[in-house]
């Protein structure tokens, strides 16, 4: 009989990485592991859903790294379609409901991992729950959307929101031959970029035949005689729709944690220490899309729902639960995406992030080819760089461009982590050969121009 | 009348970057600039020659960033087909020969920039100068090779050497439909990699139909009745050839500098200070392929002929000559290349480099996809990582793989520059989205495994 029981709430990236890593370090005789997942699936790539919907990824199961059965074979007691409904911190127990039978039960824990993820923002507007209106947060969501598409002959998709999910879903529907309208509350798509960079995305989406409507605040989902969605109404007009996808963003799913009195931050995410322990709680960990993370550039907490962080968190939690030692120092805010052939990347602070924390900065924007200009297939990219006034410390980089643009942001991500100045960056020894880079890599070109801007700003 | 005269020897990347930057900072009334170039061309991409020969780049002029006439329009007195033949350091003058007229002249200087580049290693073997045997160091070399190919009907290319130039020229000849044999003195191609990684290149070249002969020490170039090359003889056999390309490597072209008594290093390159001034000489600078550079990882001087360094050197020299201030801290030894669809990259130290400077290290090798495994077109890459024993400091990374493999080395290049440990690297916030990376970037996977190896090594 195991001496300790670990309970994990949430069967995707963070939860199952934590469980798997803990299991690697402690066998079933030392540690019993029970995990609750309200959906049907475990350990899947939510980030891959747009590519499944768009047809790049043929099968749902391609997105699943490890099935519930595989987890169970590895000694993890994963119960799917079982929703945790209450955390009793003092009593060290979790109540759960079997969604098939409707029965409730309490499970005691010695250690608890909260990995409840995020939920899509669903504004409380009339018609929001009408058939044909979909989120794409979970694999179940993706399956429901595809089921809807299979049943629906109309070919008009309206996407609400123009962030990562919005633009990736726009690509997915373009690939399926839909007429795509993206309703954007703001002025430019990709609010994770500065507006001048978002404008480049807007233009490129126009060229792809994606209609992006600016300043489009949704007021209502209209339904037809069959009760299904028929249009999306905004303050400035109404957009016919056979299917609607919500890509407004996500928020931490911390209802249970909040009700249990665990500490939540300003963004609604759980607050943890560097070892991913919930602050003030020695035997409760949290990770993935339900926590806030430290932004190493601004020094502020942020909420970032991203699979790569969730996997790191899970790994770290599992190590600590299993008696090892690991920490998560924080993020610099790197994110990459694409819409058709346009690559989009960012790391560090936008102008408004810098202002919000009192940093003065200079910005520079350059255009460059991804490979030597004479090399066939060279594509253009625009690189914007922010550097702190006086010190010249790198604050952020945004890139929009063709093939090879997005992952160049990693150079800046490492430089941010290391606290480099743009002057130091001009000397970086980056890979050069004509198929891969101009003789001055775009990041070096931007850094050189940023050095001049820092000097000029005094 | 200008108050000072700058003489530049060499009209390619380092020399012309220096001249251009100096001209930006000082007008013709302050600084006269005279430059000698023995070839016909200026400011061209020597690294692009294989892609011109292979047909990817249609025109020779595509490789020229700025012609001699364009330089002259910008107030740089560039004299092509004019070879510097002597440097009189004490007398502050340079002798040059007009290669068209054969006349010699002395030109005085206040400041001198030596950018004489590198020359291909040409072993003193019988037949080495036979028609049909080509180097590919300069644009003139490339033109001569293409002229030969236009005149020659045979389709057997033998390439001597299996380094960057060797494998890139192999690709070029494969694209032209030649039967390609690469004669490699060593056991594995790409001696800039460890042998285990070179083996992967060897295998891939086999699959591309490129014959790579191991341990093939050339003894003689055989010629036919017309005096042209007919075969390359090695100790172990002879290989019929209609054209031979030498890709054995290059050495610093410092004949003039050496004769003038300027300081040369163990690799035969000029030694400079951080501002790229020739050591002990306040008014002489040197940069590009004719200098040695500091390897920041080993602390040793190296000779690396690479356009990206040459451009940086030129920029720095021009700034200093023009009254500004700039320094070149050194390199970490990043290089990328490809042979057909196989990308090859390295940065930092190989195992033998680490041993040579007394570093103890652990190595780890991992395989990963470049994008999410389920994403269409995902390709494989192998990443080898060296970390110092005990400290866990990153020492080097080598990558061989498909699309998206090579430029990932930049992540390691920045981490090396920052002196990061592999443990610190496991927390790097690298760009993740299914089209661009698995949820754990290959560099993170390697770093995680390296952490375990460092711990295990004690």
């Amino acid at each position: 009989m195991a001496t300790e029981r670990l309970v994990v709430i949430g069967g995707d990236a963070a939860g199952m990485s934590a469980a798997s890593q803990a299991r690697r370090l402690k066998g079933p005789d030392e540690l019993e592991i029970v995990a609750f997942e309200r959906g049907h699936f475990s350990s899947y790539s939510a980030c891959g859903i747009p590519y499944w919907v768009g047809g790049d990824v043929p099968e749902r199961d391609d997105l699943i790294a490890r099935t519930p059965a595989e987890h169970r074979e590895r000694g993890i007691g994963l119960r799917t379609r079982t929703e945790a409904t209450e955390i009793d911190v003092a009593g060290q127990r979790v109540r759960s409901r079997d969604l098939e039978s409707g029965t409730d039960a309490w499970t005691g824990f010695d250690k608890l991992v909260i990995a409840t993820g995020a939920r899509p923002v669903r504004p409380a507007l009339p018609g929001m729950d009408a058939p044909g209106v979909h989120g794409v947060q979970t694999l179940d969501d993706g399956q429901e959307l595809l089921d809807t598409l299979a049943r629906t002959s109309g070919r008009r998709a309206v996407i609400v929101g123009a962030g990562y999910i919005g633009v990736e879903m726009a690509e997915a529907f373009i690939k399926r031959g839909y007429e795509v309208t993206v309703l954007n509350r703001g002025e430019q798509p990709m609010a994770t970029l500065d507006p001048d960079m978002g404008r480049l995305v807007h233009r490129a989406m126009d060229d792809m035949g994606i209609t992006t409507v600016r300043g489009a605040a949704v007021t209502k989902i209209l339904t037809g005689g069959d009760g299904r969605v028929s249009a999306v109404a905004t303050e400035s007009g109404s957009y016919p729709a056979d299917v609607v996808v919500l890509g407004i963003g996500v928020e931490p799913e911390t209802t249970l944690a909040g009700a249990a009195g665990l500490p939540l931050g300003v963004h609604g995410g759980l607050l943890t220490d560097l070892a991913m322990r919930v602050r003030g709680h020695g035997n409760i960990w949290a990770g993935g899309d339900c926590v806030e993370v430290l932004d190493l550039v601004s020094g502020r907490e942020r909420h970032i729902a991203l699979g790569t962080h969730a996997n790191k968190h899970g790994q770290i939690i599992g190590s600590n639960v299993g008696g090892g030692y690991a920490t998560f120092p924080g993020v610099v805010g790197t994110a990459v995406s694409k819409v058709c052939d346009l690559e989009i990347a960012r790391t560090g602070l936008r102008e408004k992030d810098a202002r919000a924390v009192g940093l003065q900065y200079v910005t520079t924007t350059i255009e460059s080819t991804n490979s030597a200009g004479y090399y066939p297939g060279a594509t253009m990219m625009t690189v914007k760089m922010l550097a702190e006034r006086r010190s010249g410390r790198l604050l952020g980089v945004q890139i929009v461009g063709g093939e090879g643009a997005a992952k160049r942001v990693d150079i800046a991500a490492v430089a941010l982590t290391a606290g480099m100045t743009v002057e130091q960056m001009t000397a970086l020894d980056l890979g050069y050969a004509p198929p891969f880079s101009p003789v001055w890599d775009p990041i070096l070109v931007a850094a050189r121009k940023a050095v001049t801007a820092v000097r000029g700003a005094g």
Side-chain angles (χ1 to χ4, degrees), chain A:
Chain A
M1 197 183 120
T3 52
E4 275 195 327
R5 184 188 290 148
L6 167 67
V7 169
V8 177
I9 306 177
D12 198 8
M16 289 300 97
S17 292
S20 301
Q21 177 67 2
R23 178 51 78 230
R24 257 174 237 125
L25 298 173
K26 289 203 170 172
D29 52 330
E30 285 186 285
L31 186 72
E32 182 192 357
I33 305 179
V34 176
F36 302 121
E37 164 57 42
R38 67 179 170 193
H40 293 84
F41 309 103
S42 64
S43 300
Y44 57 85
S45 170
C47 319
I49 293 171
Y51 308 100
W52 171 37
V53 173
D56 287 323
V57 176
E59 300 289 339
R60 181 189 67 204
D61 289 359
D62 294 336
L63 297 182
I64 299 175
R66 202 168 279 177
T67 64
E70 289 168 333
H71 280 298
R72 288 191 282 265
E73 280 164 26
R74 285 168 171 80
I76 294 165
L78 173 59
R79 306 180 195 165
T80 52
R81 298 287 292 148
T82 304
E83 183 167 9
T85 54
E86 191 180 341
I87 303 169
D88 174 3
V89 172
Q92 295 203 178
R93 56 184 192 155
V94 171
R95 186 156 66 171
S96 64
R97 176 168 298 159
D98 181 323
L99 295 177
E100 304 295 343
S101 67
T103 55
D104 284 14
W106 285 100
T107 307
F109 64 81
D110 298 291
K111 292 173 174 171
L112 175 66
V113 173
I114 303 173
T116 41
R119 57 172 179 258
V121 174
R122 268 195 185 234
L125 294 173
M128 214 32 113
D129 294 323
V133 179
H134 292 270
V136 284
Q137 182 66 9
T138 66
L139 213 47
D140 286 295
D141 291 340
Q143 187 63 64
E144 283 168 22
L145 171 58
L146 280 167
D147 292 347
T148 289
L149 299 184
R151 282 195 307 265
T152 313
S153 57
R155 281 274 179 278
R156 293 165 307 179
V158 172
I159 294 160
V160 182
Y164 291 107
I165 295 173
V167 303
E168 287 168 5
M169 290 308 300
E171 171 181 329
F173 279 102
I174 286 284
K175 284 191 174 147
R176 293 181 73 99
Y178 278 63
E179 196 180 297
V180 180
T181 303
V182 177
L183 301 180
N184 183 19
R185 196 171 184 131
E187 282 300 294
Q188 300 298 347
M190 299 306 294
T192 50
L193 306 179
D194 284 324
D196 52 340
M197 297 298 281
R199 193 172 302 129
L200 304 179
V201 178
H202 196 148
R203 267 187 222 145
M205 288 172 72
D206 271 354
D207 293 345
M208 293 165 196
I210 299 167
T211 304
T212 308
V213 184
R214 304 164 192 254
V218 174
T219 52
K220 192 179 192 176
I221 305 288
L222 305 174
T223 52
D226 56 357
R228 291 194 71 261
V229 63
S230 63
V232 179
T234 70
E235 285 165 359
S236 52
S238 153
Y239 299 87
D242 302 301
V243 61
V244 172
V245 172
L246 301 178
I248 314 176
V250 297
E251 52 198 10
E253 177 54 272
T254 51
T255 315
L256 284 191
L262 297 175
L264 304 184
V266 290
H267 307 289
L270 277 156
L271 297 176
T272 73
D273 67 11
L274 291 167
M276 302 307 295
R277 254 189 200 91
V278 173
R279 290 188 196 166
H281 294 269
N283 64 337
I284 307 179
W285 287 260
D289 295 359
C290 68
V291 303
E292 299 189 4
V293 291
L294 177 63
D295 180 322
L296 297 167
V297 189
S298 69
R300 295 266 177 96
E301 308 288 339
R302 290 182 60 188
H303 177 244
I304 303 176
L306 202 53
T308 187
H309 299 328
N311 274 279
K312 284 192 183 114
H313 293 170
Q315 183 77 23
I316 288 159
I317 293 170
S319 295
N320 291 323
V321 165
Y325 173 61
T327 60
F328 184 78
V331 303
V332 293
T334 311
V336 297
S337 186
K338 79 181 188 75
V339 48
C340 300
D341 290 333
L342 189 79
E343 300 189 3
I344 304 163
R346 52 146 289 146
T347 190
L349 307 184
R350 294 165 299 179
E351 294 196 40
K352 69 174 182 182
D353 303 322
R355 282 194 300 266
V357 292
L359 287 166
Q360 293 192 14
Y361 57 88
V362 298
T363 72
T364 50
T365 303
I366 63 103
E367 290 200 333
S368 168
T369 51
N370 66 329
S371 57
Y374 56 77
Y375 195 79
T379 62
M380 291 303 296
M381 72 178 77
T382 303
V383 179
K384 177 172 180 173
M385 189 172 278
L386 271 72
E388 192 184 11
R389 190 182 159 198
R390 300 267 166 92
S391 77
R393 182 169 60 101
L394 179 70
L395 295 179
V397 165
Q398 297 164 42
I399 309 176
V400 173
E403 196 189 334
K407 279 293 266 179
R408 259 176 174 98
V409 82
D410 286 346
I411 297 165
V414 186
L416 277 171
T417 305
M420 285 188 183
T421 65
V422 289
E423 177 110 31
Q424 287 172 316
M425 289 178 73
T426 62
L428 285 174
D429 185 3
L430 304 178
Y432 162 63
F436 300 111
S437 173
V439 73
W440 292 96
D441 190 277
I443 295 289
L444 297 179
V445 176
R448 282 172 64 191
K449 201 172 164 199
V451 166
T452 306
V454 170
R455 279 188 204 145

